[in-house]
Amino acid sequence: MLKKEFKRKDVQRARNLIMGNSGASTGTQIGYKKEIKDYKEGDVWTEGRKTWTIKNGIKQTVSKLDTIKKEVFMPLSCPCCGKIMKKRLDKPNYKIHKKCHDCVVEFEHKLRYTNKYNEYIKKLKVKNSLDIVDEMELYLLDAINTSNSGFVSEDGVIEKWNGGINKKEWSQKIKEASQTRREHLKKELNDKKGA
Ligand SMILES: [Zn+2]
């Protein structure tokens, strides 16, 4: 089974890609130096009337974070066997397979003795990538639309935006990039059937 993890470097890479394509001015703004605070992953603080946190290197409001949590909502018991999903591996498996870790192990064990196993693994990898694209899109759109004040870079420095960002333009770019990647993956899913 594949354990899906949303890597910070994936966010960073995507962000750089988009930032590089944009005409908007980014980087550390000199005029706002006194406002720069050293927040790190997982910190929660209040700024203005909102509560903020940093998740996957992106500054976001806590309420938005709750929305993201709902996106990956997991029921208490496994829809397949009915057992309570409380093991560490239940969560990543549920996200991909919609069943508990034990059920996935059992399913894969049975499948291993058929000629469909390789096809299954291939499909699983593509589905996993699609899942990452969806999540990345969600994070990036969320970041663009909640954060006017900038990003927290990998080394913990807050990058300020000069003159703000064009939310509409950037949202469009993110959606386009995600869609292109999705189409490519879906094509792969169909082309390599039984290969
Ligand atoms: Zn189960």
Side-chain angles (χ1 to χ4, degrees):
M1 61 242 90
L2 290 169
K3 203 172 79 135
K4 199 197 74 55
E5 268 186 293
F6 193 65
K7 301 254 168 54
R8 283 183 72 189
K9 66 173 163 55
D10 291 326
V11 182
Q12 186 69 25
R13 203 183 301 127
R15 205 159 63 203
N16 288 342
L17 201 80
I18 289 157
M19 282 163 99
N21 287 341
S22 171
S25 172
T26 60
T28 311
Q29 190 175 4
I30 299 145
Y32 281 84
K33 240 175 185 164
K34 61 175 185 289
E35 278 185 26
I36 295 176
K37 281 170 194 157
D38 208 9
Y39 293 116
K40 59 185 188 300
E41 186 79 12
D43 281 355
V44 177
W45 72 98
T46 307
E47 199 180 296
R49 268 185 286 170
K50 283 179 175 172
T51 306
W52 297 87
T53 189
I54 295 170
K55 195 173 184 319
N56 293 307
I58 292 169
K59 181 184 170 184
Q60 51 195 273
T61 60
V62 169
S63 62
K64 285 278 175 183
L65 197 67
D66 291 341
T67 312
I68 289 166
K69 275 181 192 158
K70 277 180 197 138
E71 293 283 328
V72 295
F73 174 75
M74 192 173 100
L76 195 64
S77 38
C78 168
C80 180
C81 69
K83 271 185 265 178
I84 305 243
M85 293 189 283
K86 58 183 177 187
K87 286 181 206 154
R88 192 176 54 87
L89 286 171
D90 284 342
K91 198 179 175 186
N93 277 291
Y94 179 79
K95 275 197 75 184
I96 299 164
H97 305 275
K98 302 289 176 251
K99 49 182 132 184
C100 76
H101 178 238
D102 288 346
C103 283
V104 172
V105 169
E106 200 188 323
F107 176 73
E108 290 185 350
H109 181 74
K110 281 178 185 166
L111 201 68
R112 207 175 282 270
Y113 297 98
T114 72
N115 53 12
K116 284 181 179 165
Y117 189 70
N118 286 343
E119 192 190 331
Y120 165 78
I121 291 298
K122 245 171 212 164
K123 278 189 176 180
L124 193 58
K125 279 181 185 166
V126 176
K127 277 184 185 170
N128 193 48
S129 304
L130 278 167
D131 200 23
I132 290 173
V133 172
D134 288 348
E135 240 183 277
M136 195 180 299
E137 185 182 28
L138 185 73
Y139 273 109
L140 289 171
L141 286 174
D142 189 58
I144 297 290
N145 289 297
T146 56
S147 176
N148 269 324
S149 46
F151 283 122
V152 179
S153 67
E154 289 288 276
D155 53 6
V157 176
I158 294 180
E159 294 170 347
K160 293 281 180 186
W161 306 101
N162 284 314
I165 53 168
N166 187 335
K167 287 183 184 182
K168 208 175 166 186
E169 188 193 326
W170 279 44
S171 297
Q172 193 58 34
K173 274 183 185 175
I174 291 165
K175 283 177 188 167
E176 274 170 20
S178 305
Q179 196 50 34
T180 304
R181 182 74 186 130
R182 259 197 291 269
E183 274 162 22
H184 177 84
L185 287 167
K186 278 175 185 165
K187 196 166 174 281
E188 202 172 308
L189 197 66
N190 292 324
D191 282 357
K192 290 189 178 167
K193 204 172 274 177

